[in-house]
Amino acid sequence: MKLQRKNRLRATALGALAVSGALVLTACGSDDNTGADAGGDKTSAAASNIKCDDAEGQLRASGSSAQKNAMDLWVKNYMAACSGVEVNYSSSSSGEGIVAFNQGTVGFAGSDSALKPEEVAESKKICKTGQGINLPMVGGPIAVGFHLEGVDKLTLDASTLAKIFDTKIKKWNDPAIAKLNDGVKLPDKPIQAFHRSEDSGTTQNLGKYLNAAAPGDWKYEAEKKWPAPGGQAASGSSGIASQVKAVDGSIGYFELSYAKSQEITTVDINTGGATPVEATSENASKAIAAAKVKGTGKDLALDLDYTTKAEGAYPLVLVTYEVVCDTGNKADTLGTVKSFLTYTASAEGQKVLTDAGYAPIPEAINAKVRETVAGLS
């Protein structure tokens, strides 16, 4: 009992250090909120109701840079509650995460795009008795950030965005941009558009939006690799955000958390509704709430509506999936994968997303995620 009390005090202290700003780790976690049991469960009820269960050792994961800021918070909170467990998430890209998963070097991967059929087929070599499935865990707006001296508010629509990123619109005072920004003094300055240099689910989601909302102006397939000529490349969402922050006349796309952390002004999108829509977690949630599950079996891949004109719904959104084996997970990391993802899908795990610039997964979908995580084997 002395050792258990010591562990509780240690976890409480670490939990306090892990709190960022107003993010207070309160009691929640999985559907079972009983906390530590007399049998030695490593959970510290004093710190939270994160259930550590059979978690132990090190869990390696990698992939989407879109969810990096969310993952950083989750990992800090989780490791504070589960002493002796190390979760190491390497933020690279969705493409690299899927490759690592299908090579068997990580316990799960983060991807901003659902697995393709050929990737599912490849996963069966690693998931010996099953296959890779998509668990939607993080939602949010893809913010279009810009840096234009003298301009602090800008509205664009899908057509102008398509032409900008396809280098068809080259100047900030182009008539198409001016028409959407009545009264704004736009400079006669070249546009410097930044895109991802590596395969990226964020790029693919931008492509899906442009395909759906501006099919006449964006002729490229929605792929992880940047398809259009011209523009300038940067690595990761953080790389694009850094370039936009530094370069006058620039524009780029990245998750809202990067815009917030670097104080980058974002574009409002004219969807054809009554008023242009700002990139916020709340507005992204309105769009994600209309998503339908298109996956079969335990797969929970979503079908998003990029053409919504619903009032206040920000259409340029993405959902990041955690990719796991439905069955056939490695025994040495299965306990930690289930424990960690149970936390991230919990009400408390989802609560931290809004404060970090993300959008929680709608509860109707998230309940299915928690059920699926509980059944991983």
Side-chain angles (χ1 to χ4, degrees):
M1 293 298 293
K2 288 182 179 180
L3 178 59
Q4 188 180 49
R5 182 173 181 273
K6 182 178 179 181
N7 284 340
R8 285 178 177 151
L9 291 173
R10 178 177 180 271
T12 303
L14 288 171
L17 291 174
V19 172
S20 175
L23 299 178
V24 181
L25 189 60
T26 56
C28 198
S30 67
D31 292 336
D32 180 358
N33 290 329
T34 56
D37 60 29
D41 187 317
K42 290 177 284 185
T43 301
S44 171
S48 72
N49 266 356
I50 294 174
K51 289 184 64 64
C52 304
D53 295 327
D54 298 321
E56 60 182 358
Q58 183 183 70
L59 170 63
R60 295 181 67 244
S62 69
S64 165
S65 66
Q67 69 171 356
K68 177 185 183 301
N69 294 333
M71 192 61 69
D72 286 348
L73 287 169
W74 283 335
V75 168
K76 286 180 183 179
N77 292 343
Y78 181 80
M79 288 174 57
C82 300
S83 60
V85 180
E86 181 181 351
V87 179
N88 184 350
Y89 181 80
S90 174
S91 170
S92 50
S93 69
S94 298
E96 292 177 46
I98 296 302
V99 169
F101 178 77
N102 280 340
Q103 290 177 341
T105 60
V106 294
F108 70 88
S111 177
D112 306 326
S113 298
L115 292 168
K116 294 180 179 180
E118 59 268 27
E119 292 170 335
V120 173
E122 185 73 13
S123 73
K124 294 178 180 180
K125 299 176 183 178
I126 297 300
C127 309
K128 300 295 186 182
T129 59
Q131 65 182 41
I133 57 172
N134 305 283
L135 300 178
M137 201 68 71
V138 183
I142 299 176
V144 179
F146 70 97
H147 178 177
L148 191 57
E149 295 296 335
V151 178
D152 57 11
K153 189 169 183 61
L154 187 70
T155 296
L156 298 174
D157 59 13
S159 176
T160 52
L161 282 170
K163 291 174 183 177
I164 286 170
F165 283 113
D166 198 19
T167 63
K168 296 294 191 297
I169 291 179
K170 302 178 184 295
K171 292 286 191 74
W172 279 109
N173 63 346
D174 187 278
I177 299 177
K179 184 178 179 180
L180 293 167
N181 294 274
D182 187 37
V184 177
K185 188 175 181 180
L186 296 166
D188 181 13
K189 185 177 293 184
I191 296 174
Q192 299 192 58
F194 285 90
H195 59 262
R196 291 282 287 271
S197 59
E198 74 286 0
D199 286 4
S200 162
T202 309
T203 293
Q204 188 170 36
N205 278 276
L206 173 64
K208 289 178 180 178
Y209 165 71
L210 295 176
N211 279 160
D217 299 303
W218 190 256
K219 302 296 187 180
Y220 307 100
E221 292 294 325
E223 299 290 349
K224 293 176 182 177
K225 183 177 180 63
W226 182 255
Q232 300 182 59
S235 178
S237 292
S238 59
I240 294 182
S242 295
Q243 290 294 330
V244 172
K245 177 76 171 178
V247 179
D248 184 25
S250 61
I251 189 170
Y253 59 94
F254 34 76
E255 293 65 45
L256 183 61
S257 59
Y258 291 93
K260 284 190 169 185
S261 64
Q262 298 206 39
E263 299 182 335
I264 297 171
T265 308
T266 60
V267 168
D268 294 344
I269 292 184
N270 184 332
T271 64
T275 57
V277 185
E278 183 182 355
T280 67
S281 297
E282 180 183 7
N283 291 344
S285 290
K286 293 176 182 177
I288 295 172
K292 306 296 183 184
V293 175
K294 65 179 180 180
T296 58
K298 295 181 180 179
D299 186 82
L300 298 175
L302 300 179
D303 188 13
L304 299 169
D305 180 7
Y306 296 102
T307 61
T308 179
K309 292 179 175 58
E311 191 63 26
Y314 184 84
L316 182 44
V317 295
L318 63 73
V319 169
T320 295
Y321 301 95
E322 311 310 341
V323 177
V324 296
C325 297
D326 54 359
T327 64
N329 290 277
K330 292 182 179 179
D332 58 343
T333 56
L334 175 60
T336 309
V337 167
K338 291 180 69 171
S339 172
F340 180 69
L341 296 184
T342 294
Y343 163 59
T344 64
S346 71
E348 181 57 37
Q350 290 289 298
K351 179 180 180 296
V352 305
L353 295 179
T354 300
D355 301 285
Y358 296 96
I361 299 300
E363 176 55 29
I365 297 170
N366 202 37
K368 295 178 182 179
V369 173
R370 290 194 294 267
E371 180 182 354
T372 302
V373 170
L376 297 180
S377 61

